[in-house]
Amino acid sequence: MAGKKVLIVYAHQEPRSLNGSLKDVAVAELSQQGCSVIVSDLYAMNFEPRATGKDITGTLSNPGFFNYGVEAHKAYKKQSLSSDIIEEQKKLQEANLVIFQFPLYWFSVPAVLKGWMDRVLCQGFAFDFPGSYDDGFLKGKLAILSLTTGGTASMFSKTGVNGDFRYFLWPLQHGTLHFCGFKVLAPQISFGPEMASEEERKRMVASWAQRLKTLWEEEPIQCSPPWYFGQ
């Protein structure tokens, strides 16, 4: 939708991968709609995933006992977080929609994306107490996970060996995104591209491109336990 700002947080090493194609098609489709699109290509940026004292550029409030959460919160308020974190927070602040594009690693995000979440979504910026879930500081923004899996769709069903795909989405969509106030759109899951034919992979990219045409009209999911685990 014209005038909207989109941030794509992208975590894959290979530009020619399916993840790369899904990211590219999102940039193309959303730009064509008149959105301004920014990509944080975490591997290409050599993004630091570790949450350490280097993230605080000022003096520590308690040099004798390092507590990352406390120090990052205070540094955010004093504007003394490291420049790479501030940069990502600016992009997030301006975005109407954030797309996370990644391959599923161990039912979760790759380390570089986990580190982005750990470092960028700090207290004071993304949430506070009070100020979480529906009152999280990123409320009014949309988020969507677009991910690829190693297993096939049937492996990620209730009766499948991995259990329902919604189970692994709980910590990401609810415990991270909804916690920070995002309204979460239904995930885009491209199941088992490694086992799929070239034709099927093309269809995965095409269906994402198609969905993006009307993404702004979608209603967010009811991000609460029943959506994930049933009644």
Side-chain angles (χ1 to χ4, degrees):
M1 197 191 286
K4 296 279 192 190
K5 293 189 168 173
V6 181
L7 170 62
I8 302 178
V9 186
Y10 166 69
H12 199 286
Q13 309 87 335
E14 173 52 65
R16 290 167 307 177
S17 63
L18 184 71
N19 274 271
S21 300
L22 292 164
K23 178 259 297 169
D24 290 343
V25 83
V27 172
E29 171 56 36
L30 292 164
S31 301
Q32 202 180 353
Q33 292 175 22
C35 302
S36 75
V37 185
I38 290 179
V39 178
S40 283
D41 182 343
L42 301 183
Y43 285 105
M45 290 156 67
N46 212 3
F47 189 80
E48 171 60 80
R50 294 169 299 181
T52 69
K54 290 181 184 156
D55 293 351
I56 290 91
T57 61
T59 50
L60 295 178
S61 67
N62 183 355
F65 184 91
F66 184 66
N67 179 321
Y68 184 83
V70 168
E71 296 293 352
H73 183 200
K74 293 192 167 163
Y76 173 73
K77 290 196 286 199
K78 292 194 301 204
Q79 298 181 308
S80 60
L81 285 167
S82 64
S83 59
D84 62 336
I85 297 178
I86 291 172
E87 193 59 35
E88 295 306 300
Q89 289 179 341
K90 273 201 196 109
K91 296 176 193 174
L92 246 187
Q93 197 78 67
E94 291 177 5
N96 303 109
L97 164 69
V98 184
I99 298 172
F100 295 91
Q101 180 64 60
F102 62 95
L104 193 70
Y105 280 18
W106 300 117
F107 283 24
S108 187
V109 291
V112 72
L113 179 49
K114 179 63 166 66
W116 186 95
M117 291 168 168
D118 291 349
R119 298 175 66 230
V120 176
L121 302 175
C122 72
Q123 187 176 350
F125 170 72
F127 69 93
D128 213 329
F129 303 109
S132 61
Y133 290 110
D134 292 345
D135 297 317
F137 294 170
L138 302 180
K139 62 172 179 267
K141 299 182 187 298
L142 294 170
I144 182 170
L145 302 178
S146 171
L147 61 120
T148 60
T149 66
T152 56
S154 62
M155 292 164 83
F156 283 101
S157 62
K158 273 199 168 45
T159 53
V161 67
N162 294 329
D164 195 292
F165 67 85
R166 293 181 180 211
Y167 302 157
F168 71 69
L169 293 172
W170 170 253
L172 295 171
Q173 289 186 167
H174 186 72
T176 310
L177 300 175
H178 183 201
F179 187 89
C180 295
F182 279 108
K183 285 202 169 7
V184 180
L185 297 173
Q188 182 76 13
I189 306 180
S190 304
F191 288 103
E194 302 282 312
M195 304 183 205
S197 68
E198 190 53 42
E199 265 321 290
E200 288 170 312
R201 281 198 292 275
K202 282 191 176 133
R203 275 205 296 278
M204 291 174 190
V205 176
S207 79
W208 177 223
Q210 191 56 42
R211 182 180 173 193
L212 287 163
K213 289 185 192 303
T214 54
L215 196 75
W216 299 105
E217 297 158 30
E218 290 188 19
E219 283 298 311
I221 65 165
Q222 280 298 108
C223 199
S224 58
W227 189 89
Y228 298 89
F229 307 109
Q231 295 295 352

